[in-house]
Amino acid sequence: MRAVGRTLRAAWLEYQDTRDGIVFIHAATARLGFENAFSRLPAGAGGRNTRAAGNLPDMAIKVHRHTRNETAFQAFIAQPSQSHATALQTWINSPAVSGADLVADPAAPDPIDWLVVSGHGSGGSVWGDGSGNHANLEVASSYIDGIGVDRSGRLKCLIIPSCNNVNRSLAGMWLSLFDHAKPVHLLLGYESTYAGGATGARVMARFVDKLAKNRSMPLIEAWRAANKASRQPWAALAAKGGETINLDDWVNDRLPALAYVKDLLHFGEDHPGGEPAKLLDDRYAVSWVMADGTVLDMYNNGVAHPTKGLFDGKPGKIRIKALKPQFAFVKGSEAYLAVHLYRPSKPLDINKLLKFDQALLDPHPDTGKPVVNPEKGRTGRPENEHDVDAFRIAFPADSDTIELGFTVKSDATKSFKNDGPGGTHGRFLLEFAPTGNWTQGADYFYWFGTSYAATAGALLRK
């Protein structure tokens, strides 16, 4: 057996279904020589089948078990509760184990090389009720808030097995992961939905199998192959120069020396070779704006900012601004704007969320057409066939900006479940399709080249 330079240490935080994590950690320790970081913690009240973090005493770290095709898997997986959110959001910047504690000390003796945060997700957040109560972790915001904090430099790969969080339109939200003196090299996840559960377990088994059979295979290629077999919409975001990271180079300290990487590459099924990640839309800025003028963005629209978002009965507006003269709006021209409720598969009737100002719904005196025209079934989702899921905008004047005033329905939080991040009632995203970027299909419009404001969206709150 060939020797390797060092053992890689991995940890898995699970907010929902543990099956994918059990298979990954079990197989990675058995076949790849990884060490489960949580195994270094002392035994908990359950003896050898539990571990205890002294500074997070009620976090469930125990041996979870799963049988797949008569093969038994078991591994220590951590299931945090909401009380751990603040500590973990600091910890994941430079995760390590020191004695009986989880610490973010860059000089800690047992730093973590590979971290996984799994559950439901969107907008840089991961959440679920796998521990028995709702819990969430604002993963992307953790790196934004910790941009000036020193890191160990050992964490090179972050996996977010959740819906949507590695969507290409979210690349800008993850820049702080890479734009650092000691950057992460690679983020693996999903462009849209992630099935998790048994499907996720199969994906993780294949992922480890690919790496075990060829330690020189780039992690991105192994991730693509593992997900393709289950038709999962895999995605990856890599620091330019770090996209070829593989186990052989990693354990033998042959990875490139990267620092303050601002050029990122995004990978997915339709561009498996990678393409430059667009960190900002250079055509249109599409935003939710609160009544006091606060623009909801990736920095303020999370669980840590409870006064920011959409609230029952409160006014606001949607602002669409052309960022270059050639994209300005022409009087009488039209565009489409859809509102999406994530997770991606959830149905949405905009009429249950918003009531647009009456002046926008009445014919405009200069065009004879309403500025806002609600329409049904335009996004092509069967569950929205009979509901308003988009609206057509008829621009009333030549301008580079349009603002659409609304009031959140007084009972909106009764219409949408409180299963979003931190117990919110969902994250609502905006998708803008300007003139020329949609065509009529047999049953709905085909949208392309859209400006997709997924980096922020807006959380619906009580």
Side-chain angles (χ1 to χ4, degrees), residues 37-44 51-59 61 91 96-103 109-110:
F38 294 137
S39 67
R40 286 188 166 255
L41 295 169
R51 289 292 183 266
N55 54 338
L56 300 174
D58 61 333
M59 185 162 70
I61 306 175
W91 179 73
V97 175
S98 180
D101 293 336
L102 301 183
V103 299
D110 299 315

Side-chain angles (χ1 to χ4, degrees), residues 118-266:
S118 179
H120 298 311
S122 75
S125 180
V126 176
W127 71 90
D129 57 8
S131 62
N133 293 296
H134 187 97
N136 77 281
L137 189 62
E138 296 287 321
V139 185
S141 293
S142 299
Y143 292 100
I144 293 171
D145 294 342
I147 190 64
V149 176
D150 191 17
R151 300 178 186 170
S152 70
R154 283 285 294 265
L155 182 63
K156 291 296 194 293
C157 183
L158 175 66
I159 308 183
I160 309 289
S162 75
C163 293
N164 189 54
N165 267 323
V166 191
N167 187 293
R168 72 194 75 192
S169 62
L170 285 171
M173 177 171 280
W174 296 106
L175 179 59
S176 299
L177 194 64
F178 306 95
D179 187 12
H180 192 277
K182 299 173 182 177
V184 170
H185 285 216
L186 180 63
L187 171 66
L188 299 175
Y190 292 90
E191 180 79 22
S192 55
T193 56
Y194 168 60
T199 298
R202 286 191 292 272
V203 167
M204 295 303 164
R206 293 190 199 101
F207 184 44
V208 172
D209 184 61
K210 296 291 183 184
L211 297 175
K213 290 177 177 177
N214 183 359
R215 300 179 68 90
S216 297
M217 175 180 282
L219 300 186
I220 291 176
E221 177 59 24
W223 187 244
R224 180 202 66 79
N227 281 282
K228 189 172 183 179
S230 292
R231 298 182 179 179
Q232 291 291 284
W234 70 278
L237 190 63
K240 190 172 183 180
E243 65 274 15
T244 61
I245 181 174
N246 63 74
L247 291 183
D248 194 47
D249 288 342
W250 196 351
V251 298
N252 288 296
D253 290 321
R254 293 198 300 261
L255 297 183
L258 303 178
Y260 299 109
V261 181
K262 296 178 176 63
D263 294 326
L264 309 182
L265 297 172
H266 189 273

Side-chain angles (χ1 to χ4, degrees), residues 28 86 131 317:
T86 300
S131 62
K317 55 191 174 185

